[in-house]
Amino acid sequence: MRVGVLTGGGDCPGLNAVIRSVVRKGAQEYAWKFVGIVDGWAGLVKDVTMALDVPAVRGILPLGGTILGSSRTNPLRLEDGIERIKNTLSAHKIDALVVIGGEDTLSVATALSDAGVNLVGVPKTIDNDVGGTDYTFGFNTAVTIATEAIDRLHTTAESHKRTLVVEVMGRHSGWIALHAGVAGGANAILIPEVEFDLDQVCAWVEKRFEINYAPIVVVAEGAVPKAGQMMVKDESRDEFGHVRLSGIGDWLARQIEHRTEKEARTTVLGHVQRGGTPSAYDRWLATRFGLHAVDAVKDGDFGMMMALRGTDITRIPLADATKATKRVPQELYTEFDVFFGT
Amino acid sequence: MRVGVLTGGGDCPGLNAVIRSVVRKGAQEYAWKFVGIVDGWAGLVKDVTMALDVPAVRGILPLGGTILGSSRTNPLRLEDGIERIKNTLSAHKIDALVVIGGEDTLSVATALSDAGVNLVGVPKTIDNDVGGTDYTFGFNTAVTIATEAIDRLHTTAESHKRTLVVEVMGRHSGWIALHAGVAGGANAILIPEVEFDLDQVCAWVEKRFEINYAPIVVVAEGAVPKAGQMMVKDESRDEFGHVRLSGIGDWLARQIEHRTEKEARTTVLGHVQRGGTPSAYDRWLATRFGLHAVDAVKDGDFGMMMALRGTDITRIPLADATKATKRVPQELYTEFDVFFGT
Amino acid sequence: MRVGVLTGGGDCPGLNAVIRSVVRKGAQEYAWKFVGIVDGWAGLVKDVTMALDVPAVRGILPLGGTILGSSRTNPLRLEDGIERIKNTLSAHKIDALVVIGGEDTLSVATALSDAGVNLVGVPKTIDNDVGGTDYTFGFNTAVTIATEAIDRLHTTAESHKRTLVVEVMGRHSGWIALHAGVAGGANAILIPEVEFDLDQVCAWVEKRFEINYAPIVVVAEGAVPKAGQMMVKDESRDEFGHVRLSGIGDWLARQIEHRTEKEARTTVLGHVQRGGTPSAYDRWLATRFGLHAVDAVKDGDFGMMMALRGTDITRIPLADATKATKRVPQELYTEFDVFFGT
Amino acid sequence: MRVGVLTGGGDCPGLNAVIRSVVRKGAQEYAWKFVGIVDGWAGLVKDVTMALDVPAVRGILPLGGTILGSSRTNPLRLEDGIERIKNTLSAHKIDALVVIGGEDTLSVATALSDAGVNLVGVPKTIDNDVGGTDYTFGFNTAVTIATEAIDRLHTTAESHKRTLVVEVMGRHSGWIALHAGVAGGANAILIPEVEFDLDQVCAWVEKRFEINYAPIVVVAEGAVPKAGQMMVKDESRDEFGHVRLSGIGDWLARQIEHRTEKEARTTVLGHVQRGGTPSAYDRWLATRFGLHAVDAVKDGDFGMMMALRGTDITRIPLADATKATKRVPQELYTEFDVFFGT
């Protein structure tokens, strides 16, 4: 049995932990051979591979990033993408693939599986927006980092009359913002799933100032204000004609500052949230996903994705998982209403 | 409505997060009054209470310990324990109790509930051994701390030929040892649920030395060797007639050192594992447990314990949760066989 | 003996550690009484004080912020500022002051000392820009936080072709940028003391891409490009006529992105750098500053500032310390040339 | 110019940072070639070397341990040790050595230098006991780790009536114990330099219980009680005739428990203190030591050791640095008297 392993999409702490457990279990328990696919789908399209055996995965458990490299190459956009992938698989005599990736990568996997490629998927994304699984690995690490940052801001909040805005990752879903905001004791949490009202945000901010403690506002990068509240000028392009880099965090701080007439400061964590060593939680989850992915390959149970359900790792059809982005449900968001603005 | 809140048993990061969310939701949403019961059941037995309102819970989310104090007092061992508790509740016009504790505390809560006291339970324990809930808060923090320690030991393991033994908490269950051992990449994990064989452990250790990398052995404080392997002398008492403080970790290191003829060193984390700020995960879980406990009290759904099931907080009868310690299932333990000794 | 203690200026981890050691040594060793001055010089101007004794300083060693509060009030700008301060001191029978603050606060202390007030100074600033002392407390904590952020970015740098810009604190001096940049292995470090050349920065960035590893650029918030490189448009005001919040980090990222035609991302740490618990180093230094400040008061050696010289705490005239901002010397900056762009 | 680099003695965070800066500056600025000596002096005695160039040192700045390996081999104990070293140096055409190590390693370097070998030394030790330099790298990291552990114990100390004993590294000097104890707010700090009196320690512990807060006792592994206080039985050997592994921490906890009749618990950090990533402080110091070592080699200033004096890196004769262990001076220890037992 020869098994290819690939990682696709953006950085996510825990990728190496999956690779390691897949290879260790496959090689040590079943004597499988492995082929490392370099840079995600690009490696299969262009036939770029690397050696992948037990010595190659030693010591990688705590490392961020991925030893296999990654890319955002989407072979479905190439006319002969699937054919080229099949050729590479055939050239290397690869019997099955373990595909580790987020929504985009797993959507490709779903299509390839439909086209007859033997593969199993492992969901990863710091955004936690893959459906069908309670959590994805990487998410806990990102939330932990963002929460630590919010913790530190409380020191300033205790002694200065400034609104502190923290912009966290989450273009399409607010999982990181919600979890870190709740864990960090934020006074407002703005997520892409629910348009925010600048007047409401400023009311929360003002209410917080009343108890003599500066407000902390956590905003997901994909959060948007109600129609009409973001003025044209903010969407303008910079001196090079590019969309301005500075994001919702800065914009929001400016608006709050203007309306409340109290200083506002911004922290933009950026890629800090997706780097460094995975948390213990993510290593546990990633390791188990890897072990169970080997079981699925062993069982010939292809087209399935590993999923966390409670404390169990289960398998669900890839097609089910990739049909929609998992977003924060309204009722979960409102569960924390009591903390907003108070 | 007047609600009493108490915390019982040993330290556990997240206790204050529960207290805070109970009080904030109860006071802000339903205008309830709260009574802080001091030092767990002892406070009810001896009528020691403290003020508990929204200002009192400000800023406590990230703090370890419990602002209410705790104790291991078991009122069921007093002849008139339940009566005295009822008197205190009546004196303070307390309509319902929120009881936050581990196995022992919740067993008392079960008995009190049977005796007609209106209460809901919230499970806490760093050991994760309360049944009926996927996880308890405090556990993730303990695992995180233990994993960080193991991470640091890998540096030495890379360069010195020494067996490194890490003793972690867990008298009756091996959840911390298993999670931290897996997350930290340990080469042997010994838990109370499965008697270990010293010969097997030494075989794992020797195998690890072969690849020129020192073995890391994680042992729960309650792990025990096969019958006959712990010699009488080790169980002897110290110069004061007390059972010797030094635990399974030291004993194991001495045994491995003697048998493998290579140095062994021990790290005993002790109370370090239950102190300090709760992890983001535990704050999220503790906060939600508190919010849902308020809902349960509001609903008059007494005798129930909050439980995590997947991503949902549910309610289960206290009696179900406390009937047995939740231990690591054999099949979960063996899931990680492939990492032992290699 | 009655001693007043005040803290002035921005947040700085370690303020509470100084307060604690001053009070504990003064009260326990010499039976002094203390008066807590609230909100820095404002407390003396407006006569706002608080109780300050040994119980009041219990447990504050690891806490960020200051239990006394702080402000940026400068009494020298008030016509009768010094007189009002003297009145307050006299009303409270305060024999001597311990003044903990940065450049601004200590400059006021110098003037007050010249006006006959008995006081000693303790230097604090996360920026490390107070003269006469090797280091100020708070600085090590800020450097540690910024370094951890840079560490995390390396994960992304290994796998993505993006320039990563990190903006750190330092309006007038580049100590944090230089220390964190060196400790974090940055490829370019831009400080206020040395105008940077955008062409040079882009050359460094390009050179780094050649070895297939994304460049990390650390920029102090006060760093400025060569004359002519910052275009008018960047200095423009936002939709409210305010100077734009978004700082040098965002600007620099946009410029690099435009010139190198590769994506650039920004992390802006902001107040995260000055919050949270002080590092072990800062607690040690702050504690010793406090103990020695008590010695200085005991000796009647007023008008002096505590200073770290090697491993010794010494006293230097306040006037010497406050006559100029301590900036990064050119020769220290160039010591690290070899790491730039490579 | 060909330069050999070696690291000797125990693990110490920052070794890789020195290697990296030596190689980068030597190779990039002066086009030197480097030879990596494997496993300290053993590599020179047995002629085991490895390639060492700029690519080899990429990414090692944050890594604990040493890419060159280390050992405690002392060539002076071999009859022909120095001769064999000279042969290896000659065989590899090595013009000069950079020797990174603690007391033992640098003592050998001193002897070799006397015997005509061109070398410069860089001091490392987590124990901070090398003379002539304010600090050694590795020390700050160890203190940071120990302080974090003490911080966590305060949570328990607040709520339980137990003496908490923390054993930290330091066989011959108490630098780690003193710094971590002061930074962590310990109530007793016991160091090898000053024999402790068990009666005094218990008096401190009892005094602490009076204010309703459990005592934390930090003890260096090399601390010893007054003559007569350690009973024969404690020095006994274990069931294998080996000296008992369990150290002063366990012994002390048992004694305190017996005398105060209150529970005592022990944390033994062990190798956790010397592993993991170096702190920002240690990376800065190690990097500068490396850069300055290259300068010294360039200058032909052999037989010298790099030393930190204030904020400067200076050179001192190796012989001066290695003539005596740097121990905690009595007056520094007593500076903190006010915190003991209170």
Side-chain angles (χ1 to χ4, degrees), chain C residues 54-85:
Chain C
V54 170
V57 300
R58 287 228 180 275
I60 69 173
L61 172 61
L63 300 184
T66 158
I67 59 166
L68 297 175
S70 185
S71 73
R72 297 192 185 275
T73 299
N74 186 338
L76 303 183
R77 291 197 195 129
L78 304 174
E79 215 171 309
D80 58 348
I82 292 183
E83 200 187 318
R84 290 169 69 173
I85 286 176

Side-chain angles (χ1 to χ4, degrees), chain D residues 57-229:
Chain D
V57 300
R58 287 227 181 276
I60 70 172
L61 173 61
L63 300 185
T66 159
I67 59 165
L68 297 175
S70 185
S71 73
R72 297 194 184 273
T73 299
N74 185 339
L76 303 183
R77 291 196 194 130
L78 304 173
E79 215 172 308
D80 60 347
I82 292 184
E83 201 188 318
R84 290 169 70 172
I85 286 175
K86 287 187 166 178
N87 289 344
T88 304
L89 294 174
S90 159
H92 289 275
K93 299 197 170 74
I94 292 172
D95 301 300
L97 277 181
V98 175
V99 178
I100 312 163
E103 267 198 293
D104 293 345
T105 306
L106 296 178
S107 293
V108 174
T110 309
L112 273 181
S113 178
D114 290 346
V117 175
N118 291 337
L119 58 80
V120 301
V122 173
K124 72 95 219 191
T125 150
I126 64 159
D127 289 337
N128 194 37
D129 57 2
V130 174
T133 182
D134 287 355
Y135 294 105
T136 47
F137 64 85
F139 172 65
N140 180 265
T141 305
V143 169
T144 298
I145 295 168
T147 302
E148 284 173 6
I150 300 170
D151 276 2
R152 292 192 180 279
L153 294 180
H154 276 282
T155 304
T156 290
E158 282 165 21
S159 46
H160 294 280
K161 292 287 169 48
R162 282 173 187 159
T163 301
L164 298 164
V165 174
V166 189
E167 183 186 307
V168 300
M169 282 190 163
R171 285 200 188 283
H172 306 296
S173 69
W175 293 105
I176 293 176
L178 186 63
H179 277 248
V182 167
N187 312 108
I189 301 172
L190 310 179
I191 62 176
E193 289 85 344
V194 181
E195 274 190 2
F196 64 84
D197 176 353
L198 207 45
D199 297 322
Q200 173 67 78
V201 173
C202 288
W204 285 333
V205 161
E206 295 284 17
K207 199 167 159 196
R208 185 72 177 174
F209 278 125
E210 283 167 24
I211 60 161
N212 210 14
Y213 194 103
I216 294 177
V217 178
V218 174
V219 57
E221 56 184 339
V224 286
K226 272 175 55 177
Q229 292 193 333

Side-chain angles (χ1 to χ4, degrees), chain B residues 44-68:
Chain B
L44 282 182
V45 169
K46 301 178 198 164
D47 191 1
V48 188
T49 61
M50 60 181 273
L52 188 60
D53 53 14
V54 169
V57 301
R58 287 230 181 273
I60 69 172
L61 172 61
L63 300 185
T66 159
I67 58 166
L68 297 176

Side-chain angles (χ1 to χ4, degrees), chain C:
Chain C
M1 186 92 172
R2 287 173 69 82
V3 176
V5 182
L6 74 81
T7 55
D11 273 329
C12 185
L15 287 168
N16 283 325
V18 182
I19 299 167
R20 168 183 175 265
S21 69
V22 165
V23 172
R24 292 201 54 178
K25 179 159 183 171
Q28 293 179 212
E29 207 149 292
Y30 304 125
W32 294 351
K33 300 294 177 196
F34 287 92
V35 177
I37 315 293
V38 173
D39 287 347
W41 297 118
L44 282 182
V45 169
K46 302 179 198 164
D47 191 1
V48 188
T49 61
M50 60 181 274
L52 188 60
D53 53 13
V54 170
V57 300
R58 287 228 180 275
I60 69 173
L61 172 61
L63 300 184
T66 158
I67 59 166
L68 297 175
S70 185
S71 73
R72 297 192 185 275
T73 299
N74 186 338
L76 303 183
R77 291 197 195 129
L78 304 174
E79 215 171 309
D80 58 348
I82 292 183
E83 200 187 318
R84 290 169 69 173
I85 286 176
K86 286 187 168 179
N87 289 343
T88 304
L89 294 175
S90 158
H92 290 274
K93 300 195 169 73
I94 292 173
D95 302 298
L97 276 180
V98 175
V99 177
I100 313 164
E103 266 197 293
D104 292 345
T105 306
L106 295 178
S107 293
V108 175
T110 310
L112 273 182
S113 177
D114 291 346
V117 174
N118 290 338
L119 59 79
V120 301
V122 173
K124 75 94 217 190
T125 149
I126 65 159
D127 290 336
N128 194 37
D129 57 2
V130 173
T133 182
D134 287 355
Y135 294 106
T136 47
F137 65 84
F139 172 64
N140 179 265
T141 305
V143 170
T144 298
I145 294 167
T147 303
E148 283 173 6
I150 301 170
D151 276 3
R152 293 191 180 277
L153 295 179
H154 276 281
T155 303
T156 291
E158 282 165 20
S159 45
H160 294 280
K161 293 286 169 47
R162 282 172 186 159
T163 301
L164 299 164
V165 174
V166 190
E167 182 185 306
V168 299
M169 283 190 161
R171 284 200 189 284
H172 307 295
S173 70
W175 294 105
I176 293 176
L178 186 63
H179 276 247
V182 167
N187 311 108
I189 301 170
L190 310 178
I191 62 176
E193 289 86 343
V194 182
E195 273 190 2
F196 65 85
D197 176 354
L198 208 45
D199 296 322
Q200 173 66 80
V201 173
C202 289
W204 285 332
V205 161
E206 295 284 16
K207 198 166 159 198
R208 184 74 178 174
F209 279 125
E210 283 168 24
I211 61 161
N212 207 14
Y213 194 105
I216 294 176
V217 179
V218 174
V219 58
E221 58 184 337
V224 286
K226 272 174 54 176
Q229 293 193 331
M230 185 174 278
M231 276 168 280
V232 175
K233 197 171 172 188
D234 293 292
E235 290 153 350
S236 66
R237 296 177 175 265
D238 69 15
E239 56 272 41
F240 310 115
H242 301 153
V243 171
R244 281 180 42 194
L245 261 187
S246 77
I248 187 71
D250 265 350
W251 179 84
L252 187 63
R254 282 203 311 279
Q255 301 295 330
I256 292 173
E257 187 167 274
H258 178 66
R259 290 168 181 237
T260 64
E261 298 184 340
K262 292 193 186 73
E263 263 187 283
R265 298 293 172 93
T266 316
T267 289
V268 180
L269 290 174
H271 281 289
V272 169
Q273 292 161 91
R274 60 192 328 144
T277 194
S279 68
Y281 181 94
D282 282 337
R283 294 189 205 173
W284 168 266
L285 180 57
T287 297
R288 291 192 76 201
F289 273 160
L291 298 175
H292 284 259
V294 169
D295 289 341
V297 170
K298 178 76 184 170
D299 295 347
D301 196 9
F302 298 117
M304 306 297 278
M305 185 188 85
M306 303 307 108
L308 176 70
R309 293 283 172 86
T311 59
D312 294 327
I313 308 296
T314 61
R315 301 171 194 164
I316 62 170
L318 267 165
D320 290 1
T322 55
K323 70 187 168 204
T325 299
K326 185 178 70 176
R327 313 190 89 205
V328 175
Q330 178 73 37
E331 65 271 21
L332 182 64
Y333 183 61
T334 55
E335 199 173 309
F336 305 99
D337 271 358
V338 71
F339 300 118
F340 287 11
T342 65

